[in-house]
Amino acid sequence: MMNLDLVEVEWVDACEMEAGWHEISEIKKHTVCTCRDVGWILPTPRNDQLLLIGSFAPKMSDDSGEVDMGGRVTAIPQSWIVKIRKLIYDTT
């Protein structure tokens, strides 16, 4: 089994206002969205992003034998990340 860290990642993302015309005073109040995701950090050779997998299936069988698999993959630019908190989980 791969030894992956389970984390909660807090990050910011663009947030679009609803379509239509808005008063400038209301537009000035608009901000980015704060997002939180939980998943396993997958090591990557790129240092400008974090790869997070929300589902992890160690030693899943496929046509080539048993392989580690992941799903619900999110690539988050490092510059968007506010905080990473490591979570503890029981692997037994």
Side-chain angles (χ1 to χ4, degrees):
M1 177 171 154
M2 295 177 67
N3 187 18
L4 302 178
D5 288 334
L6 179 64
V7 297
E8 176 189 56
V9 180
E10 181 179 325
W11 56 286
V12 294
D13 198 0
C15 185
E16 186 174 349
M17 289 183 79
E18 59 188 59
W21 290 96
H22 304 278
E23 291 184 26
I24 297 299
S25 61
E26 292 301 310
I27 293 171
K28 287 182 177 182
K29 296 175 188 176
H30 192 66
T31 65
V32 296
C33 296
T34 299
C35 307
R36 286 191 176 83
D37 281 301
V38 173
W40 287 268
I41 294 178
L42 189 63
T44 174
R46 295 185 57 166
N47 61 5
D48 63 337
Q49 69 180 16
L50 179 134
L51 282 178
L52 196 68
I53 56 175
S55 298
F56 181 49
K59 301 300 178 205
M60 188 175 209
S61 294
D62 73 357
D63 294 339
S64 62
E66 288 189 344
V67 295
D68 293 329
M69 299 188 74
R72 293 187 295 125
V73 180
T74 305
I76 305 170
Q78 288 286 354
S79 61
W80 295 7
I81 296 173
V82 175
K83 185 188 319 179
I84 299 175
R85 185 169 59 109
K86 189 172 180 180
L87 303 175
I88 306 300
Y89 66 102
D90 186 359
T91 59
T92 59

